[in-house]
Amino acid sequence: MTQSNQAVRRSLGLAFLFAAGLAVSLPVAPAMAADAKGEWARPSGTSRIKMAPCGDAICGTLVWLKDPRNDDKNPDASKRSRPLLGSQTVLGMKPTGKNGQWKGKVYNAEDGETYTGFIQMDGNDKMKLEGCVMGGLLCKGETWTRVK
């Protein structure tokens, strides 16, 4: 083997080692968080919400109710005769910086209160929706299942 062939082989070997070392040292892209957009069913089967973009956030609108009724617990008396179907119950959810988590507001038509809300995705087809009081110290939620 000639000296120039040895030099080429040595250079190729070093290039390979450099490339292999670079590949090992490159950061791995984080897994994409599951997407909350879509239609979701409550565990009890009594309602469905559609999560969709609203400005720079995502919001949830009631698209199906087993027993349709009016918003009779709303603190605004002028809204108590409006149907719940078609109303927004998940408001202004924005990413928190934690993987698959959003924070915003949740309107609970069962008591007419609006709470600090959190969405936490559990894979692609499960979404935990919580309403919290006392700055998020006390939370109550349910895990909804993707319909579409």
Side-chain angles (χ1 to χ4, degrees):
M1 192 179 300
T2 67
Q3 241 181 350
S4 65
N5 282 347
Q6 288 177 341
V8 168
R9 279 191 140 171
R10 201 173 13 238
S11 294
L12 287 174
L14 289 173
F16 175 76
L17 287 175
F18 175 75
L22 182 63
V24 169
S25 67
L26 287 175
V28 176
M32 292 298 290
D35 190 357
K37 293 184 292 269
E39 191 172 317
W40 299 87
R42 189 174 186 182
S44 64
T46 58
S47 63
R48 291 184 181 177
I49 57 172
K50 182 175 182 182
M51 301 296 291
C54 59
D56 63 347
I58 57 173
C59 297
T61 302
L62 282 169
V63 294
W64 182 84
L65 288 169
K66 183 176 180 178
D67 298 313
R69 65 178 180 87
N70 289 341
D71 193 5
D72 58 358
K73 302 267 194 302
N74 197 305
D76 181 343
S78 69
K79 295 180 180 178
R80 290 181 188 154
S81 62
R82 76 176 180 168
L84 275 173
L85 195 59
S87 67
Q88 266 191 6
T89 57
V90 180
L91 313 159
M93 291 283 183
K94 295 185 178 184
T96 64
K98 291 182 182 177
N99 192 24
Q101 187 183 67
W102 290 264
K103 180 181 179 184
K105 299 284 182 186
V106 177
Y107 173 68
N108 182 354
E110 293 173 9
D111 65 9
E113 296 292 327
T114 300
Y115 299 95
T116 297
F118 288 93
I119 290 173
Q120 180 63 58
M121 297 301 298
D122 182 9
N124 286 322
D125 296 324
K126 299 287 182 188
M127 172 182 76
K128 185 169 187 179
L129 181 60
E130 291 183 310
C132 304
V133 295
M134 296 176 55
L137 292 176
L138 297 173
C139 299
K140 184 177 179 183
E142 298 178 319
T143 300
W144 295 55
T145 303
R146 187 183 299 274
V147 176
K148 299 180 191 177

